[in-house]
Amino acid sequence: MKKLAVTVVMLIVACLTLVAEEVGQVTNIYGRENVTSLNGMWRYIVDVQERGFYDYRMNETPWGFFLDAHQKSPMDLVEYNFDTSSQMHVPGDWNTQSERLFFYEGTVWFRRTFDYVPKEGKRAILYFGAVNYEAIVYVNGKKMGRHIGGFTSFNFDVTDALKEGKNNVIVKVDNKRHKEDIPTNIYDWWNYGGITRDVMLLEVDETYIEDYSLELDKKDWQHLKGWVKLNKREAGVEVTVSIPELKVEKRVKTNADGEAELSIKAKPSLWSSENPKLYDIRIEKGEEKIRDEIGFRCIETDGKKIKLNGKQIFLKGVSMHEEAPFSGGRANNASQAHTMLSWAKEMGCNYVRMAHYPHNEHAVREAERMGVMVWSEIPVYWTIDWKNEETYANAQRQLHDMITRDKNRAAVVIWSIANETPHSDARDEFLSKLATYAKGMDGTRLISMAMEVTSASNYHNRLSDNMNKYVDVVSFNQYVGWYRDVNDASKMTWEIPYNKPVIISEFGGGALAGWHADKETRFSEEFQENMYVENLKMLDKIDGLSGMSPWILVDFRSPARYLPDVQDFYNRKGLISNEGQKKLAYYIMKKYYSER
Ligand code: GCB
């Protein structure tokens, strides 16, 4: 009997360790057919000690929550029950859906059940837009895999785990912070936990289109180039790419790597802020049909200038976090993005810095439709564990996944690899490798990072960063007027000794909306307003100034902002309050951009 029990446990463990085939990142999930949304209400269990995962020896248990066990007789001891547990909405963070979880950092298990009918010759891909921070995914008790990184999409081939009838997906989500993570354990935004972006089940053929790229050839604007990639190394598969409006229909065949090059003669109307033209694109392989909207444009630098489609531009920007306007919490849909981008546009912006991590795909696509250029960034923020190889691999994977997802978005003009990273040899090595990697993946966009100025003397600001060689655009954050006396602004001189365009990636300071006092009183709207006036005069003197993204469009939650009745866990540097109230400084920026 004992032997039998041991065998049963061993069998269960063997089952649990079955990891699904890792499949490449499936792009443009929203433009594919045969997609079922698994968004909606999911059951959840808060597991502070992770007892649904580890036994007391700290081994992975064979009876964990991932089995979704049920009492078979009244005698059975099962100390959890998904069926009667509370529910929360996916996509969504747990912090704003349950008061008890507002400050929670740890493990929460999520379960969703769904009906499924397996189909001959079809594969099922389970897609997550993002889970913060670590996700371990099980389907019907079988482990599909693990993903780390809170802002990038991932997917598993779950075909072999699915069955006819009722199925379940269980996800162990853990948002604990660690020094070796990306981001590391301290940062100035809220660590929203949960399944924060869309969850979808995609049905495809055994051989399917995994990814593709289509863009304007920088050297020849009457030429589009790109590639299509299958999930398998299968030669001779025919793929058709068409752009009806341009009367393009191109048939290509895959090579032995399952890839095909695209080279198309066409004369598209170029995408810009004034003309955010997107073309309807169809990519087809037999029955498989993918639709996309793609814009074509050329972004480049010329000495200290940034040029879009050959014309010098000034990036009139603002920084933004991915936090839902009015309701708070992680933003995850197009309408929230639309609200925020409309505020930015009304202020005169043609550009936003999506800080400090890749924002959701809806937001990037919305920016593109609205003609707003985007700086997109990975959370290599402050003091990363530079010497840790796994940390580097994690950062590179996040960079890879960000570029893979958004490489067809004309709106994205800058990939940023880091924010405010203290200088050291180890940091230089880490960041130069990342920058080189980004360039290798995408040679058409500009690479940048938010640097810090290193003062040469009290009123002389000199930028000196070994990373200057690796970036196309030199960007830095500076806070004269907030972390330094505002009266210093008029005395400041700047030295940026590189022949590259300069973007001020952050400047600003806090104000509590609706609170009025004189311009010497911190946190009053007048203080912030005056600081903006002084900063703009100061920044205008910078040689090669090609854009700016003041910090920040909207007040956002931060655990490091404790001041009662003023901050209340909000970083108040927004030009607009978290309730949508525009502050005086918003109008200073609006006026400045209207005159630029
Ligand atoms: C910075 C950081 C940003 C912070 C901001 C601040 O330099 O890049 O994430 O929120 O300063 O408010 O201090």
Side-chain angles (χ1 to χ4, degrees):
M1 189 62 192
K2 199 173 160 206
K3 228 174 157 187
L4 183 72
V6 171
T7 321
V8 169
V9 167
M10 275 166 61
L11 271 175
I12 295 174
V13 172
C15 229
L16 293 176
T17 45
L18 176 100
V19 174
E21 198 195 337
E22 281 279 355
V23 286
Q25 199 182 350
V26 172
T27 52
N28 187 17
I29 192 81
Y30 303 107
R32 292 176 182 255
E33 294 183 328
N34 305 317
V35 176
T36 312
S37 167
L38 295 181
N39 290 347
M41 298 310 278
W42 288 50
R43 300 272 175 195
Y44 72 93
I45 298 172
V46 180
D47 189 11
V48 178
Q49 295 190 350
E50 300 177 283
R51 296 292 291 276
F53 194 66
Y54 296 116
D55 68 16
Y56 72 94
R57 295 181 186 84
M58 294 296 282
N59 294 325
E60 201 168 324
T61 78
W63 57 79
F65 291 178
F66 32 82
L67 290 179
D68 193 9
H70 289 81
Q71 253 195 335
K72 293 192 181 52
S73 83
M75 268 295 283
D76 274 357
L77 175 64
V78 184
E79 296 187 89
Y80 69 94
N81 188 349
F82 273 111
D83 293 342
T84 51
S85 292
S86 306
Q87 304 187 67
M88 76 165 76
H89 196 266
V90 167
D93 62 82
W94 61 59
N95 315 73
T96 55
Q97 294 194 68
S98 161
E99 214 175 310
R100 290 198 301 179
L101 297 180
F102 184 67
F103 288 106
Y104 183 66
E105 295 184 315
T107 283
V108 176
W109 295 85
F110 288 86
R111 188 202 72 181
R112 153 101 205 213
T113 56
F114 60 97
D115 288 323
Y116 188 71
V117 183
K119 290 175 202 80
E120 193 60 38
K122 294 282 178 193
R123 311 234 36 112
I125 309 287
L126 180 60
Y127 167 95
F128 292 84
V131 173
N132 191 37
Y133 173 83
E134 180 196 73
I136 304 181
V137 178
Y138 306 84
V139 172
N140 297 325
K142 297 190 183 97
K143 187 172 175 178
M144 299 290 102
R146 168 177 179 264
H147 179 265
I148 55 166
F151 304 97
T152 42
S153 67
F154 57 97
N155 41 255
F156 301 110
D157 184 333
V158 298
T159 318
D160 298 338
L162 290 175
K163 55 180 201 244
E164 174 133 22
K166 195 171 163 190
N167 291 263
N168 72 49
V169 184
I170 290 178
V171 189
K172 176 183 183 291
V173 182
D174 185 354
N175 73 334
K176 282 196 291 296
R177 290 164 292 111
H178 309 100
K179 172 173 149 296
E180 60 278 8
D181 288 348
I182 302 286
T184 184
N185 46 6
I186 61 163
Y187 43 89
D188 190 24
W189 69 84
W190 208 263
N191 181 22
Y192 290 115
I195 304 175
T196 48
R197 293 185 189 158
D198 298 327
V199 185
M200 329 270 253
L201 189 67
L202 166 71
E203 235 175 35
V204 285
D205 293 335
E206 291 284 344
T207 303
Y208 58 91
I209 300 167
E210 184 179 282
D211 192 11
Y212 56 87
S213 159
L214 190 60
E215 66 191 357
L216 187 74
D217 184 345
K218 269 189 147 168
K219 295 191 203 99
D220 175 4
W221 295 358
Q222 306 201 3
H223 181 224
L224 309 179
K225 56 176 197 166
W227 45 263
V228 179
K229 178 176 178 285
L230 304 175
N231 63 316
K232 286 186 179 159
R233 292 167 180 263
E234 198 174 312
V237 177
E238 189 174 273
V239 178
T240 308
V241 175
S242 38
I243 314 173
E245 204 182 327
L246 294 174
K247 300 200 170 32
V248 166
E249 192 176 296
K250 183 90 186 171
R251 270 172 228 281
V252 287
K253 280 214 166 115
T254 56
N255 60 19
D257 289 328
E259 292 174 9
E261 295 271 321
L262 295 170
S263 173
I264 297 170
K265 277 262 152 248
K267 199 170 180 288
S269 161
L270 300 185
W271 184 97
S272 68
S273 296
E274 301 75 36
N275 174 42
K277 173 70 191 159
L278 298 177
Y279 288 92
D280 196 5
I281 313 281
R282 292 170 199 175
I283 299 140
E284 299 180 3
K285 177 192 79 59
E287 301 275 278
E288 185 183 0
K289 294 185 175 55
I290 304 178
R291 293 189 81 140
D292 206 342
E293 289 186 309
I294 297 186
F296 302 101
R297 54 97 190 95
C298 175
I299 188 81
E300 59 194 343
T301 62
D302 175 4
K304 287 181 180 270
K305 297 182 189 132
I306 298 179
K307 289 183 169 173
L308 178 69
N309 303 330
K311 275 194 255 135
Q312 185 180 1
I313 50 162
F314 187 85
L315 296 175
K316 302 178 185 182
V318 70
S319 300
M320 53 196 278
H321 262 294
E322 189 193 47
E323 208 165 83
F326 306 111
S327 59
R330 263 281 156 263
N332 51 41
N333 63 48
S335 98
Q336 292 159 336
H338 187 82
T339 302
M340 288 190 280
L341 292 164
S342 300
W343 285 334
K345 277 195 81 166
E346 190 191 324
M347 196 170 91
C349 292
N350 58 12
Y351 160 74
V352 289
R353 173 183 180 202
M354 291 191 176
H356 282 300
Y357 37 77
H359 287 208
N360 65 78
E361 190 169 342
H362 300 294
V364 179
R365 284 182 177 271
E366 196 58 28
E368 183 164 71
R369 282 191 280 269
M370 293 171 75
V372 178
M373 288 173 276
V374 172
W375 155 310
S376 186
E377 173 167 321
I378 49 167
V380 173
Y381 181 96
W382 292 351
T383 307
I384 295 295
D385 194 2
W386 304 116
K387 291 188 179 153
N388 186 326
E389 281 173 23
E390 273 179 40
T391 304
Y392 177 78
N394 181 0
Q396 185 175 296
R397 207 162 36 240
Q398 295 194 36
L399 180 65
H400 170 275
D401 293 351
M402 169 176 81
I403 296 178
T404 299
R405 195 196 70 183
D406 288 341
K407 65 183 164 308
N408 290 322
R409 303 281 70 81
V412 179
V413 290
I414 298 175
W415 301 125
S416 164
I417 56 162
N419 178 75
E420 281 186 359
T421 45
H423 297 189
S424 71
D425 290 347
R427 169 264 197 190
D428 286 355
E429 196 187 323
F430 188 109
L431 292 184
S432 56
K433 255 161 74 185
L434 269 189
T436 308
Y437 184 80
K439 267 279 173 225
M441 263 191 92
D442 182 353
T444 71
R445 289 184 176 78
L446 311 179
I447 305 291
S448 196
M449 55 182 276
M451 297 173 173
E452 290 180 298
V453 272
T454 33
S455 272
S457 76
N458 221 1
Y459 295 111
H460 183 68
N461 273 323
R462 183 168 199 277
L463 187 69
S464 172
D465 193 319
N466 294 334
M467 290 301 297
N468 75 80
K469 299 190 275 296
Y470 295 92
V471 295
D472 300 304
V473 174
V474 174
S475 312
F476 62 90
N477 302 345
Q478 70 76 32
Y479 280 91
V480 174
W482 188 255
Y483 296 124
R484 180 170 183 168
D485 191 346
V486 70
N487 296 312
D488 291 349
S490 57
K491 300 176 204 140
M492 287 293 176
T493 52
W494 298 87
E495 187 188 344
I496 291 112
Y498 313 118
N499 185 30
K500 297 193 174 176
V502 178
I503 291 183
I504 310 303
S505 34
E506 287 177 30
F507 69 94
L512 181 65
W515 190 55
H516 295 281
D518 57 40
K519 65 180 180 142
E520 257 90 59
T521 306
R522 259 194 206 254
F523 287 110
S524 71
E525 285 202 34
E526 287 72 12
F527 186 98
Q528 190 192 35
E529 179 188 38
N530 179 52
M531 199 188 52
Y532 266 80
V533 171
E534 293 304 319
N535 264 268
L536 291 170
K537 280 193 270 181
M538 174 183 77
L539 298 175
D540 266 340
K541 292 185 210 146
I542 295 178
D543 180 33
L545 185 71
S546 295
M548 55 176 71
S549 48
W551 193 255
I552 184 170
L553 183 64
V554 187
D555 290 350
F556 61 97
R557 280 210 178 90
S558 165
R561 310 293 170 175
Y562 318 94
L563 207 59
D565 303 325
V566 178
Q567 293 178 314
D568 297 317
F569 294 111
Y570 274 93
N571 183 317
R572 295 286 179 206
K573 295 191 188 71
L575 292 163
I576 302 177
S577 79
N578 50 302
E579 275 151 14
Q581 209 177 332
K582 295 186 175 107
K583 304 179 194 175
L584 294 172
Y586 177 92
Y587 297 98
I588 299 297
M589 280 314 301
K590 186 173 176 168
K591 180 164 178 295
Y592 177 78
Y593 282 155
S594 73
E595 290 162 1
R596 253 242 173 227

